[in-house]
Each structure stands twice: as structure tokens, then as C-alpha cells.
Amino acid sequence: MNITMVSAEVVESLASAVSTSMDLYRERGFSNESSAAGWNIEVPGVSWDDSIPMYLSPDDNETSEVENSYVVYSALSGMTPAIARDERIWVRLCHVELFDYAKKRWMTSTGLSEAAVSKHFFASGVVGSRDDNSIGRLWWNGHVASLAFPSDLRRGLSVLLKRANIRKQVIDRADSAFRVALIGPLLREIEGSAWISENDKAIATFMKHVNRRFGGIVLEDLPEDAVRDSIRQCLKDAELASAR
């Protein structure tokens, strides 16, 4: 079935009323409100499997993040990076179809805070949809992993999400994460590096060398072996630099 989104006016109304709507966020959600005008705008060309909710785990760990990302990315057919930047889609999903998951995922021992709602139920700008929104970030995880490992999505997700700083450094540096010729060899090198797996600062050092080496280069004109060899050299240089 096609997914739906809310209008820009609904997004604005919800965002401006977070503090006065916390009882709804903490309890029943917005299913009653979802029948109103502006809540059911069809997104052309994008469909989804409405059984998603039963497969999502609110647990905050690597395994759940990998599986949740796999489920969301696989179940949203026709989604593209351009469409995924539209806040209205993720606001609808977080407030209606996937509300229970979003609420439980960001509920702490002290409850669901206004700050958590403002950050994870909305998706303002590229960073909001890609990194902060409870559902949007899962789709973007899958998108980047699929560019690196198109035939083994779980493998790509496992590498990307092994440490929080790996995701942060790879995806924040958009010149790397979304270059198809680079992201595959890059994640393979990360996957095989014990240094990166065991040292949270290592990935930041490595990515600085990668971006310094590949900035401005048209990778599509280079043989795959040359890209892979250059990335390996970047890793060696990063390890040497960190040892000084």
C-alpha cells in the first residue's frame, strides 16, 4: 500500500505544540487526529509493508539497530534519497503508523521528554531526516549500506553500525558516504580493521585521510583496484599518525 504523509501545516502545528501535547506522546498517540485534513496525503510511487511495526524492536543496541534498519529499508519500496529528505513523510510515520516504536525507542527511565520528541519525531533539514528522526535514520542506514553491499544489506549495516562513531563519521562526511565508487571499498576496509573496531577515535582519523585523499577526484574514472589500494594506504597513514 502507498504510504501517506502530513501537510507542511500539520508539521508546523505539531512542532509548535509539543509542550502542550506531551500527554498524547506519552500515552495514546495521534491516531484520532490522523483522520483530519492534511494528515493523509499520498506519496506517489512509494509503498510500504504495513506489517513493519511488528518487526521493530525499541531496544537500544547494535543488533536492534541493524535489524530495524533492514526492516525499514526493505519495506519502503520506491523510496529515494530525494524523497527521503521530505520531513512530512517521517512525521506521519512517527506520529501514526510507527508511533508505538518511536515512543518506546526514546522512552527513558524518566519517561519521554519534550527534547526527545522534538528531535526524534520530526525531521527538519537533511540532518533531521538522516540522523535524528526515529524512522528516517533507519532508512538512511539501509540506503548507505546498500550502496556498499548491494547483495548483502545486513553485512553493510553491521559494518556501518558496529560503533556509533563509524556511522557518524561515514555518513556525516557526505562526500564519502554517497559516492558509490568509494563507499563499498571504504566499508570493506573498515570491516577488516581491528584498530577501527577497538578504537572510537580511529574512524575519525581514518576518514580525515580518506577525504583528504579523494576530495575533488572523479572516482568513476579510476579502476576499482586503484581506489581500494588508496583506501588501504589511507588506513596505514591514519594508524601511523595516531601512533605518533
Side-chain angles (χ1 to χ4, degrees):
M1 59 185 296
N2 281 3
I3 65 169
T4 56
M5 63 184 179
V6 298
S7 67
E9 290 75 17
V10 169
V11 172
E12 183 178 353
S13 176
L14 288 169
S16 64
V18 168
S19 61
T20 58
S21 304
M22 287 306 297
D23 285 347
L24 291 176
Y25 285 104
R26 290 167 179 153
E27 296 173 10
R28 67 170 176 81
F30 294 79
S31 56
N32 293 346
E33 288 74 10
S34 65
S35 60
W39 278 81
N40 295 280
I41 303 171
E42 189 171 294
V43 181
V46 182
S47 59
W48 78 310
D49 180 348
D50 61 3
S51 67
I52 288 178
M54 72 176 65
Y55 297 111
L56 296 181
S57 167
D59 295 340
D60 180 14
N61 57 54
E62 178 193 338
T63 299
S64 293
E65 188 81 344
V66 167
E67 288 304 309
N68 290 343
S69 298
Y70 182 89
V71 167
V72 169
Y73 184 78
S74 300
L76 284 172
S77 176
M79 183 67 77
T80 67
I83 298 173
R85 292 184 176 91
D86 194 328
E87 179 179 21
R88 298 174 296 170
I89 295 170
W90 307 121
V91 169
R92 163 75 196 206
L93 289 174
C94 283
H95 283 78
V96 185
E97 289 85 0
L98 302 179
F99 170 79
D100 285 342
Y101 163 76
K103 178 179 72 171
K104 292 175 183 176
R105 172 64 179 82
W106 302 107
M107 187 86 75
T108 67
S109 58
T110 59
L112 187 65
S113 68
E114 290 184 29
V117 168
S118 294
K119 183 174 184 178
H120 300 298
F121 284 71
F122 297 88
S124 179
V126 173
V127 172
S129 64
R130 187 191 68 193
D131 299 335
D132 297 332
N133 182 268
S134 189
I135 309 303
R137 64 173 283 112
L138 300 177
W139 186 88
W140 281 101
N141 289 343
H143 174 63
V144 172
S146 73
L147 294 178
F149 295 93
S151 61
D152 195 345
L153 180 58
R154 278 196 175 90
R155 179 184 175 188
L157 287 166
S158 295
V159 178
L160 182 67
L161 302 173
K162 186 173 182 62
R163 299 181 72 96
N165 205 34
I166 291 177
R167 183 197 191 275
K168 176 178 172 56
Q169 293 295 329
V170 170
I171 292 185
D172 275 7
R173 297 178 186 275
D175 287 344
S176 299
F178 304 108
R179 300 174 77 180
V180 176
L182 181 60
I183 189 62
L186 178 66
L187 286 192
R188 285 183 177 86
E189 202 63 31
I190 291 172
E191 180 182 37
S193 172
W195 177 59
I196 290 177
S197 295
E198 297 166 2
N199 184 343
D200 210 33
K201 295 181 180 179
I203 184 64
T205 305
F206 173 49
M207 289 305 298
K208 287 178 183 177
H209 284 265
V210 169
N211 281 282
R212 188 181 304 142
R213 170 66 181 83
F214 290 101
I217 294 178
V218 181
L219 295 174
E220 289 71 20
D221 292 343
L222 295 178
E224 184 178 343
D225 288 349
V227 175
R228 185 176 61 248
D229 290 345
S230 291
I231 290 176
R232 286 176 178 167
Q233 187 59 52
C234 288
L235 182 59
K236 292 177 181 178
D237 293 343
E239 288 178 327
L240 286 172
S242 68
R244 291 174 187 156

